[in-house]
Amino acid sequence: MSARPLRIGPRAAAALLLVTLIGIAAFGWPLLADRQSGLAHSQDAPWLFAGLLPLLVAVVVATIADQGMDAKAVAMLGVLAAVGAALRPLGAGTAGLEPMFFLMVLSGRVLGPGFGFVLGSVTMFASALLTGGVGPWMPFQMLAMGWFSLGAGLLPGAVGVVLSGQARPGARGRLRGRAELLMLAAYGFAGSFAYGTIMNLQGWVLLQGMGQGISFHPGDPVPANLARFAAYCAATSLGWDLGRAVLTVVLTLSIGGPLLRALRRAVRKAAFEAPVSFGSR
């Protein structure tokens, strides 16, 4: 029996869609606000965090309900979140070198998009508690990391059976080996920049006193502000994001293969999708 990523059922998909829409609104509403709106992500962050936690629980419950899984899946989620939280302090604050990103890529690939999203968010929450990085940015980090892990679970070639070198008719070809690692490395590289960019958006609207070419101007047209935002990212965080992206690629290509096999072996032994039956004495 092969280990396959946990599929998204209708209830899990609905919960993920809801939390994604809320996240997009939370990140993007300052771009549509006028000058009198009193912009401050530090004020809306507690509300976002209060709404995010029950939605994360809803995604887990919906995934379990759709797949008929038991507590073993939640236990694996907790273990991986703890490992990811422990990895983050090893590189945070040093040229963007954050080894937890490669673990989120591999875990999202193996666990699937639903649990991948929850894993990314919970890992970021746990690492914030561990490093003392709790602040108005934390719920935004949880959302961004959740999306990062979710994307890894949506990459192609995760499901399917290959027999005698040929894919079974009607099934997607299963991608394994060096080709899969290259795909995950490419995703980790692009996703590292995407994570940094979306987190820049959260902080950029709060910064004042920067140059006219990179400052946020409340009430200005969205295209004009986005042009300044692109200049801000290039001037302030490009090098940091590059360090994160390169480390993710190096770790994925060097030790990603054994770790992927270990994760899939754990999922296979846990038999998350095995039907639960009760025998009579």
Side-chain angles (χ1 to χ4, degrees):
M1 182 176 64
S2 62
R4 299 181 301 171
L6 306 174
R7 299 181 300 271
I8 297 182
R11 285 168 286 199
L16 281 171
L17 178 61
L18 179 59
V19 72
T20 295
L21 291 176
I22 291 174
I24 292 173
F27 274 102
W29 73 263
L31 292 175
L32 304 177
D34 57 30
R35 289 179 174 84
Q36 287 74 41
S37 61
L39 293 173
H41 271 319
S42 59
Q43 295 178 9
D44 60 46
W47 296 102
L48 176 61
F49 184 67
L52 182 59
L53 287 183
L55 285 172
L56 290 177
V57 174
V59 174
V60 174
V61 172
T63 303
I64 291 175
D66 288 335
Q67 302 299 333
M69 295 179 294
D70 56 23
K72 291 179 290 187
V74 180
M76 175 171 279
L77 189 69
V79 169
L80 289 174
V83 173
L87 283 176
R88 192 181 181 205
L90 297 181
T94 307
L97 302 179
E98 297 178 276
M100 68 174 291
F101 276 75
F102 103 98
L103 178 63
M104 295 299 102
V105 171
L106 301 185
S107 299
R109 174 69 169 176
V110 173
L111 290 176
F115 262 42
F117 179 85
V118 177
L119 173 63
S121 299
V122 172
T123 301
M124 190 57 72
F125 174 71
S127 69
L129 296 180
L130 184 64
T131 61
V134 177
W137 54 83
M138 187 181 69
F140 296 94
Q141 288 179 325
M142 291 172 63
L143 278 169
M145 184 57 73
W147 289 331
F148 178 81
S149 302
L150 180 147
L154 292 175
L155 292 173
V159 182
V161 179
V162 177
L163 298 174
S164 302
Q166 305 225 346
R168 178 186 297 176
R172 286 191 299 166
R174 186 179 62 178
L175 188 63
R176 293 290 185 268
R178 190 68 176 175
E180 182 181 33
L181 289 179
L182 288 172
M183 180 185 67
L184 294 177
Y187 173 80
F189 186 86
S192 295
F193 280 98
Y195 173 89
T197 300
I198 195 170
M199 284 308 303
N200 281 342
L201 182 60
Q202 179 268 329
W204 175 62
V205 299
L206 305 178
L207 297 176
Q208 303 295 326
M210 296 186 296
Q212 286 291 324
I214 61 175
S215 291
F216 173 60
H217 296 176
D220 275 13
V222 172
N225 267 324
L226 288 180
R228 297 187 193 100
F229 176 63
Y232 168 80
C233 291
T236 62
S237 64
L238 187 60
W240 185 278
D241 294 338
L242 180 61
R244 178 193 300 124
V246 170
L247 180 63
T248 301
V249 170
V250 170
L251 292 177
T252 300
L253 294 179
S254 59
I255 62 176
L259 186 54
L260 272 176
R261 290 191 290 272
L263 287 172
R264 285 181 171 132
R265 190 179 307 115
V267 171
R268 184 168 58 249
K269 290 184 177 181
F272 291 155
E273 293 184 304
V276 178
S277 60
F278 298 91
S280 58
R281 288 187 173 182

